[in-house]
Amino acid sequence: MSFRVSTSERIQLKDITTEVASEVKKSGVIDGVALVYVPHATAALLINENERGLVSDLTWTIKQIVPWDRSYEHNRIDDNAAAHLTSAVLGCNLTIPITDGKLERGTWQNIFLVELDGPRQRRVIVKAIGK
Ligand code: ZN
């Protein structure tokens, strides 16, 4: 199961909680785990609160993880080394418990796709594993 996400900025957080929850519901799994995965080397996933100020703070912080203006070796062939490096630090998968047929999230936990080299079309894979 997968869905697509369009991004509009070079670095951008997109809340994909509704889409992931919908895939879990379609799976029919009542008790298990949802593996959420982005098959991309310049995107990532994270869980945190979807509050406008915090999303802005997260975006700022993500930009600080890896400096963009360094002369990276990968930039000899592709001008996006910082995007790859930030993706490697943040990670491209999440594992979320499924309980009573729903994602078991904290009140302030939303699922974000982190675009690091947008704008692009991204694919998000959701595997609901369980019974
Ligand atoms: Zn590259």
Side-chain angles (χ1 to χ4, degrees):
M1 298 166 134
S2 69
F3 59 88
R4 292 191 181 277
V5 178
S6 296
T7 62
S8 55
E9 307 286 332
R10 180 152 199 191
I11 297 181
Q12 183 182 13
L13 269 71
K14 292 234 20 183
D15 190 325
I16 57 168
T17 310
T18 304
E19 292 87 341
V20 175
S22 162
E23 295 296 324
V24 168
K25 192 172 180 186
K26 277 192 264 174
S27 76
V29 171
I30 300 300
D31 188 60
V33 291
L35 170 69
V36 187
Y37 183 85
V38 281
H40 304 288
T42 57
L45 293 165
L46 64 79
I47 294 179
N48 219 292
E49 182 179 357
N50 189 359
E51 185 279 318
R52 199 163 55 99
L54 184 65
V55 170
S56 173
D57 294 337
L58 282 164
T59 305
W60 181 87
T61 302
I62 286 163
K63 288 176 183 169
Q64 311 310 308
I65 293 171
V66 174
W68 283 74
D69 53 1
R70 207 184 143 239
S71 66
Y72 296 102
E73 294 198 28
H74 180 63
N75 286 348
R76 286 177 295 129
I77 59 152
D78 197 5
D79 193 27
N80 64 358
H84 287 273
L85 296 167
T86 309
S87 168
V89 171
L90 291 174
C92 62
N93 67 87
L94 298 169
T95 309
I96 305 166
I98 301 169
T99 304
D100 298 330
K102 290 182 180 164
L103 291 171
E104 192 170 346
R105 296 183 293 119
T107 308
W108 309 114
Q109 286 188 311
N110 279 41
I111 306 163
F112 289 92
L113 175 128
V114 185
E115 176 59 74
L116 297 163
D117 193 26
R120 284 177 192 248
Q121 273 268 332
R122 298 300 194 175
R123 194 159 74 93
V124 180
I125 298 167
V126 180
K127 297 275 185 187
I129 303 151
K131 57 186 168 106

